[in-house]
Amino acid sequence: MQLRTIAPEAYARLVMPQTAPLWGGGDLDAYVARWLGIARSRFGRKHYRTVGLYENRTLLASLKEYDRTILDGSRRLRAVGLGAVFTPEALRGRGYATAMIAAVLDRARNEGYDVAYLFSDIRPQFYAAIGFRKLPSREIVLRADALPSKRLAVVPLIEKDWGAVRRCFDLASRGHVRFERTPLVWEWVRARLDLQLERSGGQPFHLTVRHGRGIGAYVLGGRIPHRDAYYLSEFGFADDLAASVVPGLLRAAAGDLRRIVGWLPPHGARELLPRGNIRARRGSVLMAAPLSSGGTRLVSHATQSSAADFCWEAEHV
């Protein structure tokens, strides 16, 4: 048995017809088109690949890999994200997925990666048995009327604002452990955000508060009327003064919707929101496996975090 990279067209032909009922929303053509768009994007060509465990010509199991960088103070840690772990039904129960992930981790360790991570939707104990540790993975629900109803000059986010949004993100997360976001990563984040909202039946609704010629604060998310909720993907701000308007900006984004829902924000952002109703997520449980001494320190610190989660939902793979 050996690991091999699977070309996008081959993955679409061999794997996606089987995974579409799980992750595709029922429309195979749309599912394949969305995935090929990511695989062929600038981000995909540089940071993304599909991998399979083969025995001769038989594909036994497959997964997706994402290259990311985590900033931890002055340290830059190489991270590999894993997703869409899949074994064909006729081959399950034989340990192929376990063997594949173990081989991926060994290869990543040999290539100098510091940590591997994934978001588990089912059976976190499966990944725990091969070296992954469960990190805090929570969601928050806020009553919109618990946020201040403050008059703000809010305006919708437009295309030319994305560069300013990136600068706000960097300023707001400065000094905190975080995933690095390069321009290519931002392209991927934007594509994922639209897809997430589409799957939930929501409509993108991103707002900003201007600051001079730029942006003081932004919120990314969508309105989901059938859930009477605004789905918060993330927010950012340029400085302490701009941070103070974030609760009012969220209230404006919710409008006449009763609730604001989303992942519990990371440090630097969590402190701006009221207590809310916090509970463990049922899916997308963040897990990480250290591959170096730096990765071990990172995972140990993240595991012990109680006040905030490790990352925004936009980093989900």
Side-chain angles (χ1 to χ4, degrees):
M1 293 187 292
Q2 62 179 187
L3 287 178
R4 298 178 198 165
T5 299
I6 308 174
E9 293 74 15
Y11 185 85
R13 183 180 70 256
L14 296 172
V15 179
M16 300 193 81
Q18 301 177 76
T19 61
L22 297 173
W23 302 309
D27 187 331
L28 176 60
D29 290 340
Y31 176 48
V32 170
R34 289 194 299 263
W35 177 78
L36 285 175
I38 293 175
R40 293 168 176 168
S41 69
R42 295 193 303 161
F43 169 84
R45 294 195 301 272
K46 186 172 183 179
H47 297 295
Y48 173 70
R49 57 197 167 272
T50 44
V51 174
L53 181 70
Y54 281 83
E55 185 172 45
N56 298 322
R57 295 185 178 182
T58 302
L59 178 61
L60 307 174
S62 61
L63 55 72
K64 300 175 183 178
E65 288 186 352
Y66 302 77
D67 287 326
R68 296 295 304 274
T69 297
I70 296 176
L71 304 178
D72 183 7
S74 61
R75 293 187 294 272
R76 297 173 60 85
L77 304 181
R78 294 182 67 191
V80 57
L82 310 182
V85 176
F86 180 75
T87 303
E89 187 172 358
L91 300 176
R92 291 173 189 168
R94 306 182 190 183
Y96 293 138
T98 300
M100 174 181 64
I101 296 172
V104 167
L105 296 183
D106 286 342
R107 184 176 68 180
R109 186 180 293 107
N110 292 336
E111 292 179 354
Y113 285 84
D114 297 288
V115 65
Y117 70 96
L118 54 83
F119 294 86
S120 173
D121 290 317
I122 55 174
R123 294 183 61 204
Q125 63 272 20
F126 166 76
Y127 298 105
I130 50 179
F132 284 84
R133 296 177 62 183
K134 183 177 178 182
L135 276 57
S137 301
R138 294 159 291 195
E139 61 184 11
I140 186 170
V141 179
L142 295 170
R143 289 190 1 255
D145 61 11
L147 298 173
S149 181
K150 186 177 181 180
R151 289 184 64 102
L152 294 173
V154 300
V155 293
L157 178 70
I158 57 177
E159 183 63 31
K160 69 176 184 179
D161 291 333
W162 282 102
V165 165
R166 180 187 172 193
R167 289 189 289 275
C168 279
F169 176 86
D170 290 339
L171 289 167
S173 56
R174 183 174 52 191
H176 300 284
V177 178
R178 67 193 187 279
F179 283 98
E180 181 181 46
R181 289 201 194 163
T182 64
L184 290 186
V185 171
W186 269 105
E187 290 181 11
W188 171 69
V189 165
R190 291 177 59 183
R192 276 210 68 260
L193 177 60
D194 290 343
L195 177 59
Q196 173 71 14
L197 292 169
E198 176 187 325
R199 286 178 174 173
S200 65
Q203 293 294 323
F205 193 65
H206 315 314
L207 289 183
T208 69
V209 172
R210 301 293 176 178
H211 182 68
R213 296 183 177 180
I215 289 176
Y218 71 88
V219 58
L220 306 180
R223 297 170 61 85
I224 309 178
H226 69 272
R227 294 182 58 190
D228 197 14
Y230 178 80
Y231 184 84
L232 169 65
S233 180
E234 71 177 44
F235 58 77
F237 45 88
D239 51 35
D240 291 343
L241 180 61
S244 69
V245 308
V246 165
L249 182 58
L250 270 175
R251 175 71 180 268
D256 59 351
L257 299 173
R258 189 169 57 90
R259 301 182 304 149
I260 297 168
V261 301
W263 287 17
L264 187 68
H267 285 292
R270 171 67 187 104
E271 295 83 356
L272 300 179
L273 300 183
R275 182 181 180 89
N277 179 21
I278 299 172
R279 58 196 179 203
R281 292 200 299 270
R282 295 181 179 178
S284 301
V285 176
L286 178 57
M287 304 187 73
L291 304 174
S292 71
S293 58
T296 298
R297 288 192 298 269
L298 175 75
V299 173
S300 178
H301 175 75
T303 303
Q304 297 169 14
S305 177
S306 60
D309 278 10
F310 184 77
C311 64
W312 292 106
E313 184 275 341
E315 314 296 356
H316 176 260
V317 297

